[in-house]
Amino acid sequence: MTVEQAAEILASAQRGVALTGAGVSAESGIPTFRGAGGLWTKYDPVKVSSIESFLADPASYWSVARERGRVALSARPNPGHVALAAMEAAGRLSAIVTQNTDGLHQDAGARRVIELHGSGRMVQCLECERVEPRSEVQARLDVEMPPRCRSCGSTFLKPTVILFGERMPAAAVHDAFELARQADVMLVVGSSLVVYPAAEIPLMAVREGARMIVINAESTPFDRLADVVIRGRSGEVLPQIAALIGA
Ligand code: NAD
Ligand code: ZN
């Protein structure tokens, strides 16, 4: 299937919604979890990304988070992020719902970004709730491991991301499903579509009558439900679609 077919569908979208996953940031140098070269070929996800393991041993959590943070904090948006922001500005997308925590959609100029899994740009103290920029915590990891809260001294400083075992932010989940229910076009990019409830969002959209476009490097469980499937890199495919619809 072709970018022309995707462009034809998106060109007439009135309430388009994008759902993005780690794949959209791969070309910015941030490794995905699954798929070729994914982080989970190196780490046990439950060990490094669950609230239980964080609470049991914040220093171990931060020893992995430190390396990933170094990459994510210096990453820049790629042409895929820029194209999605342009589609929003042109009125073809009403919002970008993302599973990513890297903040790159916002950096690319997207205005309505719904972060289902929180943001890795901030850190919160679980004892006193003080929030500070991730970059500040990152900067003191060389001398302080695990990092301590500047207000209360607690070692339970956690990035404001949703770890395994934590509830997703209710408002974000509500908004995402509401947008999907009303969507006329659902554009799914760079998501393996195996993490629930995020994967239910496109299902809801299709059930309520939206047309679906899937752009991903590998096949996904929802390809057979899509009107158009494009196997490719989002940083290459999305700018082509944006150009065709004049976004
Ligand atoms: P995933 O890692 O499960 O899947 C990524 C998918 O993207 C794979 O199917 C892969 O084939 C595809 N892909 C890889 N490179 C691509 C490219 N250049 N263009 C298009 N597709 C590409 O990601 P997921 O579905 O988002 O779910 C996993 C979880 O990972 C999410 O909960 C998210 O919070 C978290 N995560 C976020 C980041 C980030 O913020 N950038 C990075 C890694 C993981
Ligand atoms: Zn504190």
Side-chain angles (χ1 to χ4, degrees):
M1 284 181 253
T2 65
V3 291
E4 284 78 12
Q5 288 171 299
E8 197 183 315
I9 291 176
L10 260 173
S12 61
Q14 296 299 313
R15 294 173 310 282
V17 174
L19 173 69
T20 67
V24 83
S25 294
E27 288 156 85
S28 294
I30 303 178
T32 58
F33 276 1
R34 300 175 189 78
L39 285 173
W40 288 1
T41 56
K42 295 188 208 146
Y43 303 119
D44 173 352
V46 178
K47 270 203 188 119
V48 299
S49 294
S50 74
I51 186 67
E52 287 81 4
S53 61
F54 170 80
L55 293 174
D57 186 0
S60 298
Y61 174 86
W62 277 104
S63 69
V64 175
R66 176 189 200 168
E67 297 313 314
R68 286 173 50 199
R70 228 197 286 277
V71 173
L73 290 174
S74 59
R76 305 303 314 148
N78 67 56
H81 297 107
V82 173
L84 287 171
M87 290 177 196
E88 182 193 27
R92 303 283 72 79
L93 294 177
S94 334
I96 299 170
V97 177
T98 189
Q99 295 165 271
N100 296 344
T101 56
D102 56 36
L104 293 181
H105 287 303
Q106 293 91 327
D107 287 353
R111 278 181 299 228
R112 186 158 186 214
V113 180
I114 296 173
E115 294 178 310
L116 291 174
H117 295 162
S119 168
R121 292 271 175 96
M122 305 300 281
V123 169
Q124 186 165 33
C125 172
L126 299 186
E127 306 274 5
C128 75
E129 299 188 353
R130 177 176 189 260
V131 174
E132 66 178 313
R134 170 76 169 267
S135 54
E136 287 177 17
V137 176
Q138 191 79 17
R140 58 181 195 263
L141 291 177
D142 287 336
V143 291
E144 197 177 76
M145 191 58 120
R148 286 182 177 278
C149 175
R150 287 283 156 97
S151 294
C152 75
S154 166
T155 54
F156 293 111
L157 288 195
K158 188 181 85 63
T160 56
V161 297
I162 308 303
L163 298 180
F164 283 101
E166 288 192 291
R167 258 202 309 275
M168 287 168 67
V173 172
H174 173 270
D175 289 355
F177 277 98
E178 200 50 34
L179 283 159
R181 215 171 52 76
Q182 291 169 17
D184 53 1
V185 177
M186 186 82 218
L187 174 62
V188 184
V189 189
S191 176
S192 59
L193 293 172
V194 297
V195 180
Y196 281 80
E200 270 167 28
I201 292 167
L203 282 182
M204 159 77 89
V206 168
R207 203 182 303 130
E208 296 293 320
R211 288 193 284 175
M212 179 157 72
I213 301 164
V214 173
I215 301 169
N216 208 65
E218 297 167 40
S219 64
T220 79
F222 294 176
D223 286 0
R224 62 194 170 77
L225 294 176
D227 295 85
V228 178
V229 177
I230 300 176
R231 189 81 59 244
R233 289 154 67 93
S234 51
E236 293 163 8
V237 174
L238 287 169
Q240 291 172 25
I241 298 175
L244 285 170
I245 65 176

